[in-house]
């Protein structure tokens, strides 16, 4: 399970990437309303993550077939966390700024899920925070993407 722990910890290194906000023109280049933009952005990022993490899941399926479900659960949980990271970026969006919004909280919640006794109780936290960030993102992106139907 060491590889799964390392995989989980390496995901924490991705958090700072989602602090830098893109310029307004780049955001508007998508020509989509906020809801569709967020779905597209999440879909692309999760697809890239699936491609990146496929060797780990495939390795577990081949070398540890009885434990492959654990790798699948870790992938789902990490995808929820990644979605939260992305949505938090847009929940505090200001063009060309470094948000820093909740990086410490994101890192702590992400790493707290590794603690054997606390981890299972922490599972709903990123999901709830992602849903809250989704609502805030829609509101925050509306002024920038309101011209698109």
């Amino acid at each position: 399970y060491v590889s799964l722990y390392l995989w989980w910890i390496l995901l924490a290194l991705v958090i700072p990437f989602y602090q830098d906000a893109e310029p307004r023109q780049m955001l508007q280049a998508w020509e989509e309303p906020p809801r569709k933009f967020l779905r597209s952005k999440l879909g692309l990022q999760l697809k890239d993550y699936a491609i990146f993490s496929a060797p780990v899941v495939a390795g577990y399926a081949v070398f540890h077939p009885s434990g492959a479900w654990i790798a699948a659960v870790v992938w789902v949980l990490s995808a929820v966390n990644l979605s939260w990271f992305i949505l938090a970026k847009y929940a505090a969006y200001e063009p060309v700024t470094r948000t820093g919004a909740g990086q410490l909280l994101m890192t702590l919640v992400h790493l707290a899920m590794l603690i054997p006794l606390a981890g299972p109780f922490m599972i709903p936290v990123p999901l709830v925070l992602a849903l809250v960030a989704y609502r805030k993102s829609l509101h925050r992106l509306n002024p920038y993407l309101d011209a698109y139907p």
Side-chain angles (χ1 to χ4, degrees), residues 13-61:
L13 297 176
V14 175
I15 295 171
F17 173 75
Y18 294 107
Q19 287 185 322
D20 295 326
E22 59 261 43
R24 182 179 183 162
Q25 295 82 6
M26 196 171 171
L27 188 74
Q28 292 173 331
W30 287 68
E31 296 183 356
E32 295 177 338
R35 189 176 308 272
K36 190 171 180 188
F37 170 78
L38 288 173
R39 287 184 186 150
S40 299
K41 195 73 161 175
L42 284 172
L44 286 173
Q45 294 293 321
L46 290 176
K47 185 175 99 178
D48 289 345
Y49 182 65
I51 292 169
F52 170 73
S53 59
V56 175
V57 177
Y60 265 85

Side-chain angles (χ1 to χ4, degrees), residues 48-122:
D48 289 345
Y49 182 65
I51 292 169
F52 170 73
S53 59
V56 175
V57 177
Y60 265 85
V62 170
F63 297 112
H64 304 288
S66 62
W69 68 273
I70 296 171
V73 168
V74 169
W75 189 89
V76 169
L77 293 174
S78 61
V80 168
N81 280 356
L82 185 64
S83 299
W84 174 37
F85 303 159
I86 295 165
L87 292 169
K89 170 185 173 177
Y90 292 109
Y93 179 79
E94 287 292 329
V96 195
T97 59
R98 187 169 183 89
T99 60
Q103 179 188 4
L104 181 62
L105 176 65
M106 287 181 199
T107 305
L108 288 176
V109 169
H110 183 70
L111 294 178
M113 292 176 76
L114 289 175
I115 301 169
L117 295 176
F121 300 106
M122 295 295 291

